[in-house]
Amino acid sequence: DTGVSQDPRHKITKRGQNVTFRCDPISEHNRLYWYRQTLGQGPEFLTYFQNEAQLEKSRLLSDRFSAERPKGSFSTLEIQRTEQGDSAMYLCASSLRDREAFFGQGTRLTVV
Amino acid sequence: RKEVEQDPGPFNVPEGATVAFNCTYSNSASQSFFWYRQDCRKEPKLLMSVYSSGNEDGRFTAQLNRASQYISLLIRDSKLSDSATYLCVGNTGGFKTIFGAGTRLFVKA
C-alpha cells in the first residue's frame, strides 16, 4: 500500500494522559499536513511541514500540541495532558508541492 | 470571515437531478483549488482539481471565477452513490491548504 498511513486508527485515553499519533506520507511527497475534524465540520488545519521544516502552526493549536517530522519522512503529533475537547478525528495528508493532498484514514481520539 | 465558505446544506435531491454547489474564498492569493468528497466517518478523497478554464469529469463539472472569488461544482444525473459531503479546498500559493466546512448532499430514490 503506497498511500498515506496513520497509526493508531483509534485511541481511547483518559483525560490528562499524553498521546502520540504517527503518519507515514506517500514517499515522494515533500509536504505533510495535520488536520483535526469534528462531527459536521470540515478538516481544520493544525500544522504543515515542507520536508522536515514545520512552516506553519495554527493559532488554534495550544502549547499542549506538538508535531515533528524528523528527516522529512514520517511525522508524529503529540497531545499532552489531553482534555475532553481534544476528542476528534486527526487526519494526516501529504502532497507534492502545492498539488492535491492525499489523506490517511485518520486517528480517532476519544478522551474519557 | 472564514477563508473558505460553503453552504452546509443539506441538499436533498431526487435521483437524476442536477445539483450545484458554490464555495467562496477570501484569500486572493489562493492559487490551487480542489473539490474533495467525504463519506461518513471516512477520510476526504480528491474528486477533482479546479482550473480557471473549467474542467469536466463525466457527470462532474468544476469552475473557478477568480474575479468573484468563488468555485463551483455541478453534478448532473445524480446517483444515490453521490450522497456524501463535498469539501472545497483552497491552497494559498503552496502554503496552507484550507478546507471549507463541507456541503452535505443526499440523493433520494
Side-chain angles (χ1 to χ4, degrees), chain B residues 2-28:
Chain B
K2 291 184 178 179
E3 290 190 64
V4 178
E5 293 201 71
Q6 295 182 249
D7 180 345
F11 285 64
N12 294 287
V13 302
E15 270 189 296
T18 296
V19 61
F21 309 136
N22 284 335
C23 169
T24 59
Y25 60 95
S26 61
N27 189 340
S28 58

Side-chain angles (χ1 to χ4, degrees), chain B residues 7-83:
Chain B
D7 180 345
F11 285 64
N12 294 287
V13 302
E15 270 189 296
T18 296
V19 61
F21 309 136
N22 284 335
C23 169
T24 59
Y25 60 95
S26 61
N27 189 340
S28 58
S30 297
Q31 296 185 3
S32 306
F33 301 91
F34 309 94
W35 282 100
Y36 281 73
R37 171 196 169 123
Q38 187 172 28
D39 293 296
C40 188
R41 302 180 78 83
K42 299 286 188 181
E43 75 275 21
K45 293 189 176 177
L46 179 70
L47 180 64
M48 59 196 305
S49 303
V50 186
Y51 304 120
S52 296
S53 55
N55 50 306
E56 186 174 312
D57 183 1
R59 298 182 293 109
F60 299 84
T61 300
Q63 295 216 307
L64 165 64
N65 184 318
R66 287 194 182 275
S68 301
Q69 295 187 204
Y70 78 83
I71 65 174
S72 63
L73 178 68
L74 183 76
I75 305 175
R76 290 180 298 277
D77 189 23
S78 299
K79 311 291 185 190
L80 293 176
S81 58
D82 293 334
S83 297

